[in-house]
Amino acid sequence: MKIRKIGTLIAAVAGVCAFSAPVLAKDFRMGLITPPPHIWTQQANGFAEDLKEASDGKHTVSVFPAGQLGSEAQMLQQMQTGALDMAFLTIAEASNRVENLGALYAPYLVRNVDEAAEILKTPAATNLLKELPAKAGVVGIGYGMAGMRQILTAKPVETADDLSGMKLRITPLDPIRDFYIDLGAAPTPLPLPAVYDALANGQVDGIDMDLELIWALKFWEKADTILVSNHMMFPMVGVVSARVWKDMSEEDRKMITDLMSKRLDMVMAEYKAKESGWEEKVRGTGKTIKDVGPEFFEEEIVEWEETWSKRTPEALSSLREAAKNIKK
């Protein structure tokens, strides 16, 4: 009888200890495709420092930039299995699984990075992240962004018709691809590290790119013409593996959400502060600069709208309404 009571007592104590034990420390793995000097990577490193400090060293984050863990498609697959914990991703790969995210690339939805940062905070945009866990296996913490999209070509361009037949490097997702197909161009997906050599050896005739990378990665060296078009914004999303998320305590979920959201906001603030400086540097390269607006792509925008108003009618309508309010 005494032995039985002692055994019961030990089991009860063990159960209490197990219940009250703190969550084990975790070294999270975070992936990006951007190089170490890039704003996204810098803020990912900042998030790692923040989390270590806020958790009193319980949690750390190892950041893997420049596609060390693979392409965005591969990283998303790793997060679906729980092999990768976190990432800052372009919306590109996620939108291949959550089609409504494609509406964020509507041509001339916004005019500049200030408006882009503002619209990404509206319910019209943030509600789209709710589809990520079920459809992509990740939890969307919030948006960041890169700069507005421009077009750099190795050949002279006077009108939109001159882009017809050109092989133009794009980020591989349907809304951008459709825009260039409507232009009669040949959209060509390439990983970022391969772009400079592809321009240099004629593998592509031009690129769809933001001003930061046109300047910082010296793509302008291979340009004849740079169309300063601001034709699309380029959102980024901070995500956590849904498998990893479900095992987190509420305290850790809140801490990660707050700290990552802060760093995503800082990404947007940096682009707002620096975009004009990059534009000034690009304009000073001596290359042919053409300022173009929606009228330059008038027919192509109509065709894009016809396609995507059928594919994402509610999302596109909500974003258009939000954009109108921002522009007032």
Side-chain angles (χ1 to χ4, degrees):
M1 182 67 69
K2 288 183 179 180
I3 294 174
R4 185 178 301 168
K5 286 183 178 179
I6 291 171
T8 302
L9 179 60
I10 292 172
V13 171
V16 170
C17 291
F19 181 81
S20 60
V23 176
L24 294 177
K26 173 81 174 177
D27 179 25
F28 295 106
R29 287 157 48 87
M30 185 173 189
L32 305 91
I33 60 167
T34 50
H38 193 274
I39 288 173
W40 296 3
T41 309
Q42 291 173 357
Q43 293 300 340
N45 287 324
F47 164 71
E49 295 170 3
D50 293 344
L51 184 59
K52 183 177 180 179
E53 181 180 353
S55 67
D56 294 325
K58 181 178 75 172
H59 297 317
T60 58
V61 181
S62 295
V63 177
F64 297 87
Q68 292 179 40
L69 302 181
S71 66
E72 288 198 333
Q74 291 168 327
M75 285 192 282
L76 191 55
Q77 289 171 355
Q78 292 169 38
M79 281 189 286
Q80 289 168 345
T81 65
L84 178 62
D85 302 295
M86 305 171 177
F88 282 175
L89 300 175
T90 69
I91 295 294
E93 193 57 41
S95 70
N96 290 333
R97 291 163 172 77
V98 181
E99 190 168 52
N100 280 333
L101 287 170
L104 292 167
Y105 293 94
Y108 294 99
L109 176 66
V110 294
R111 296 169 293 192
N112 50 52
V113 290
D114 289 353
E115 291 181 358
E118 193 169 346
I119 200 169
L120 290 171
K121 289 291 188 180
T122 65
T126 57
N127 284 341
L128 300 178
L129 298 177
K130 296 176 182 178
E131 299 183 52
L132 284 172
K135 294 183 178 179
V138 295
V139 175
I141 301 300
Y143 293 107
M145 66 178 181
M148 303 296 290
R149 307 309 283 180
Q150 322 297 339
I151 302 173
L152 178 153
T153 63
K155 303 176 181 178
V157 172
E158 292 295 332
T159 70
D161 290 340
D162 294 328
L163 297 169
S164 181
M166 284 193 185
K167 292 182 69 175
L168 298 176
R169 184 270 178 183
I170 65 162
T171 305
L173 75 158
D174 287 354
I176 295 179
R177 184 203 64 192
D178 288 351
F179 178 75
Y180 284 103
I181 287 176
D182 291 340
L183 277 166
T188 306
L190 280 176
L192 191 60
V195 173
Y196 186 91
D197 287 343
L199 274 171
N201 63 28
Q203 182 182 350
V204 294
D205 303 306
I207 58 175
D208 176 280
M209 194 66 63
D210 58 88
L211 290 166
E212 176 192 12
L213 294 184
I214 288 174
W215 171 254
L217 299 185
K218 300 184 183 298
F219 295 141
W220 61 268
E221 292 180 343
K222 303 303 174 184
D224 177 281
T225 301
I226 300 171
L227 302 179
V228 179
S229 54
N230 290 342
H231 58 278
M232 289 178 182
M233 65 176 178
F234 199 74
M236 171 266 276
V237 64
V239 293
V240 177
S241 163
R243 282 181 176 267
V244 173
W245 186 261
K246 70 179 177 61
D247 293 330
M248 285 184 189
S249 67
E250 287 299 323
E251 180 185 1
D252 283 347
R253 288 181 182 178
K254 184 179 187 307
M255 180 165 50
I256 287 170
T257 297
D258 291 347
L259 296 177
M260 188 179 288
S261 295
K262 181 188 79 170
R263 289 293 173 172
L264 291 169
D265 287 345
M266 290 173 73
V267 167
M268 292 199 278
E270 281 204 65
Y271 278 101
K272 290 168 65 175
K274 294 180 178 179
E275 183 88 340
S276 61
W278 291 318
E279 181 174 343
E280 183 178 351
K281 290 176 179 177
V282 169
R283 289 183 181 277
T285 59
K287 302 296 181 176
T288 300
I289 306 292
K290 289 186 65 67
D291 293 285
V292 300
E295 67 287 344
F296 189 81
F297 306 104
E298 189 170 2
E299 293 180 10
E300 291 76 23
I301 292 174
V302 170
E303 292 177 22
W304 192 97
E305 290 283 345
E306 287 178 355
T307 298
W308 283 86
S309 61
K310 295 174 183 176
R311 293 180 64 169
T312 61
E314 293 182 8
L316 189 56
S317 176
S318 295
L319 287 166
R320 288 288 186 203
E321 189 62 33
K324 285 180 185 178
N325 293 330
I326 289 170
K327 294 172 182 177
K328 285 180 179 177

